C-alpha cells in the first residue's frame, strides 16, 4: 500500500475527493479543511494499493496539484485494516508487478545526475577494478562491480526512451559518458603511479590471467548476460525490490572493462584497450536495450490491466 498526502487548493478539494472515491483500490480517506499554510489549502490523505497508484497519481497531476498544491507519496510497510485488504483485492494486478512511473522518473533523475559523489564512486570502483585486473583477483573485480553506480544513468536512459523525456536522456547520457571518461582518465594516472612504485607492471597485465582475461575478450555471452542483468535491474527498480540491484551490479563487466582499458592504455597496449572498450560498449548496449524493452512490456501489461478493470466496472 501507498500513503498519499495531498495539499489541495480549496476550490479543487471536492474534485480531488471525488477522484479518490471513484478510484478502485483506495481506502482511509481523510480531509482536513484549511490545514495547510504553505501552500495554503486543504490537506487530503488516503491509502491506495500500489497497483492502482500510478493511474491515481497521473490524474492528480492532471488536476494541477503538482503546481498549485503538493503530492507526497510514502510506502506503507504495515497496514492492519480490512479496508486496506479489500482495496488491494479490488485493484487490478499484483502490487509487486506495479510500476509507479512518477516514482521511477524521480529515482532515475536523482541517480543519473552528474554529481561529485557519483563521479567519486565510479572512479573509486574503476581504480579498485584496476588492481583486480592487474592482480587477476576476482574478489577485487566483484567488489568494484558492487561499488560502481553506473546502473543509475543506464536506468535513466531506459526510462527517458519509454517516457520520451529528452532532458532525462541527455542528463543520463552525460552522467554516463562524462563519469566513465573521468574515471578512466584518473585510473590511467593511478596506473602510471602504481607502475612507478613497482606495484603494477606490463608483465602482470600481459601475463596469464585466468580469472580476468574475459574482460578484454567480448563475445555473445557478454551481451546476453548484460541483457539479462538489464531486465533484472529494471524489474528491481520498478517493483521496489532494490536488493536485486546488488546482483545486477556484480553480473556485468562495465567497470572492470573500463579499468582494464585504462590500465592497458597507460602501457600503450592497444589490443587490450580496444577489446576492453568493446566489452564496455557491449554491456552498456545490452543493459539499455533490455531495460527499455522491459519497461515497454510493463507499460503494455498495465494498459491491458486498466482496460480489463474498466470493463468490469461498466458491467
Amino acid at each position: 500500500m501507498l500513503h498519499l498526502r495531498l495539499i489541495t487548493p480549496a476550490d479543487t478539494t471536492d474534485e480531488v475527493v471525488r477522484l479518490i472515491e471513484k478510484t478502485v483500490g483506495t481506502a482511509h480517506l481523510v480531509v482536513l479543511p484549511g490545514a495547510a499554510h504553505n501552500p495554503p489549502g486543504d490537506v487530503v490523505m488516503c491509502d491506495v494499493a500500489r497497483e492502482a497508484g500510478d493511474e491515481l497519481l497521473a490524474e492528480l497531476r492532471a488536476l494541477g496539484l503538482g503546481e498549485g498544491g503538493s503530492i507526497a507519496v510514502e510506502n506503507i510497510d504495515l497496514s492492519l485494516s480490512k479496508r486496506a485488504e479489500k482495496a488491494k483485492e479490488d485493484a487490478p494486478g499484483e502490487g509487486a508487478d506495479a510500476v509507479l512511473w512518477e516514482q521511477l522518473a524521480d529515482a532515475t533523475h536523482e541517480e543519473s545526475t552528474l554529481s561529485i559523489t557519483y563521479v567519486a564512486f565510479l572512479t573509486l570502483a574503476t581504480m579498485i577494478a584496476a588492481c583486480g585486473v592487474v592482480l587477476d583477483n576476482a574478489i577485487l573485480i566483484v567488489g568494484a562491480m558492487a561499488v560502481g553506480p553506473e546502473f543509475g544513468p543506464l536506468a535513466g536512459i531506459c526510462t527517458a526512451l519509454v517516457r520520451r523525456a529528452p532532458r532525462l536522456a541527455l542528463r543520463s547520457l552525460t552522467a554516463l559518458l562524462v563519469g566513465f571518461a573521468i574515471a578512466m582518465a584518473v585510473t590511467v594516472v593511478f596506473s602510471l603511479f602504481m607502475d612507478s612504485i613497482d606495484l603494477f607492471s606490463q608483465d602482470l597485465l600481459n601475463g596469464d590471467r585466468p580469472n580476468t582475461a574475459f574482460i578484454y575478450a567480448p563475445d555473445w555471452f557478454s551481451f546476453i548476460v548484460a541483457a539479462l542483468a538489464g531486465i533484472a535491474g529494471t524489474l528491481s527498480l520498478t517493483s521496489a525490490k532494490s536488493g536485486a540491484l546488488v546482483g545486477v551490479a556484480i553480473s556485468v563487466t562495465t567497470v572492470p572493462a573500463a579499468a582494464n582499458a585504462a590500465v592497458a592504455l597507460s602501457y600503450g597496449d592497444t589490443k587490450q584497450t580496444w577489446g576492453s572498450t568493446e566489452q564496455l560498449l557491449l554491456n552498456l548496449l545490452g543493459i539499455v536495450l533490455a531495460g527499455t524493452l522491459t519497461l515497454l512490456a510493463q507499460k503494455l501489461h498495465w494498459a491491458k490491466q486498466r482496460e480489463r478493470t474498466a470493463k468490469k466496472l461498466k458491467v
Side-chain angles (χ1 to χ4, degrees), residues 18-89:
R18 285 195 297 270
L19 172 61
I20 294 172
E21 288 178 333
K22 76 173 186 179
T23 300
V24 176
T26 59
H28 310 143
L29 176 60
V30 177
V31 180
L32 303 175
H37 293 276
N38 184 20
D42 305 327
V43 174
V44 179
M45 295 181 286
C46 72
D47 297 339
V48 58
R50 181 180 174 85
E51 52 269 42
D54 185 65
E55 185 175 4
L56 178 58
L57 288 174
E59 295 189 17
L60 289 171
R61 283 184 63 89
L63 292 177
L65 288 194
E67 291 76 30
S70 170
I71 304 173
V73 183
E74 299 174 343
N75 285 308
I76 299 176
D77 295 327
L78 177 64
S79 181
L80 303 177
S81 166
K82 289 184 177 180
R83 290 182 179 274
E85 292 297 325
K86 187 177 186 306
K88 288 189 284 188
E89 290 174 2

Side-chain angles (χ1 to χ4, degrees), residues 129-138 140 199-200 204-205 209 211-212:
C131 296
V133 297
V134 171
L135 299 175
D136 194 37
N137 190 314
L140 292 177
L199 292 178
F200 281 9
L204 286 174
L205 183 68
R209 291 195 284 149
N211 294 319
T212 58

Side-chain angles (χ1 to χ4, degrees), residues 137-185:
N137 190 314
I139 295 176
L140 292 177
I141 294 296
V142 171
M145 290 175 174
V147 173
E150 73 279 7
F151 191 80
L154 291 170
I157 293 173
C158 297
T159 304
L161 291 174
V162 173
R163 301 201 73 190
R164 298 179 183 178
R167 293 176 65 182
L168 177 59
L170 180 60
R171 182 186 300 109
S172 301
L173 189 61
T174 300
L176 192 67
L177 297 180
V178 174
F180 268 114
I182 294 174
M184 292 174 71

Side-chain angles (χ1 to χ4, degrees), residues 4-27:
L4 271 60
R5 185 183 71 250
L6 314 173
I7 296 179
T8 67
D11 57 345
T12 64
T13 300
D14 289 342
E15 190 174 1
V16 169
V17 170
R18 285 195 297 270
L19 172 61
I20 294 172
E21 288 178 333
K22 76 173 186 179
T23 300
V24 176
T26 59

Side-chain angles (χ1 to χ4, degrees), residues 91-203:
E94 295 293 332
D97 299 331
V99 181
L100 294 177
W101 291 99
E102 295 293 341
Q103 185 182 57
L104 180 62
D106 184 69
T108 51
H109 177 278
E110 182 178 349
E111 295 294 327
S112 62
T113 301
L114 184 64
S115 63
I116 294 176
T117 301
Y118 166 80
V119 173
F121 270 116
L122 187 57
T123 302
L124 290 170
T126 308
M127 292 166 69
I128 293 171
C131 296
V133 297
V134 171
L135 299 175
D136 194 37
N137 190 314
I139 295 176
L140 292 177
I141 294 296
V142 171
M145 290 175 174
V147 173
E150 73 279 7
F151 191 80
L154 291 170
I157 293 173
C158 297
T159 304
L161 291 174
V162 173
R163 301 201 73 190
R164 298 179 183 178
R167 293 176 65 182
L168 177 59
L170 180 60
R171 182 186 300 109
S172 301
L173 189 61
T174 300
L176 192 67
L177 297 180
V178 174
F180 268 114
I182 294 174
M184 292 174 71
V186 173
T187 302
V188 169
V189 176
F190 173 71
S191 177
L192 293 172
F193 168 75
M194 294 293 279
D195 180 78
S196 69
I197 59 176
D198 296 327
L199 292 178
F200 281 9
S201 71
Q202 191 166 7
D203 289 339

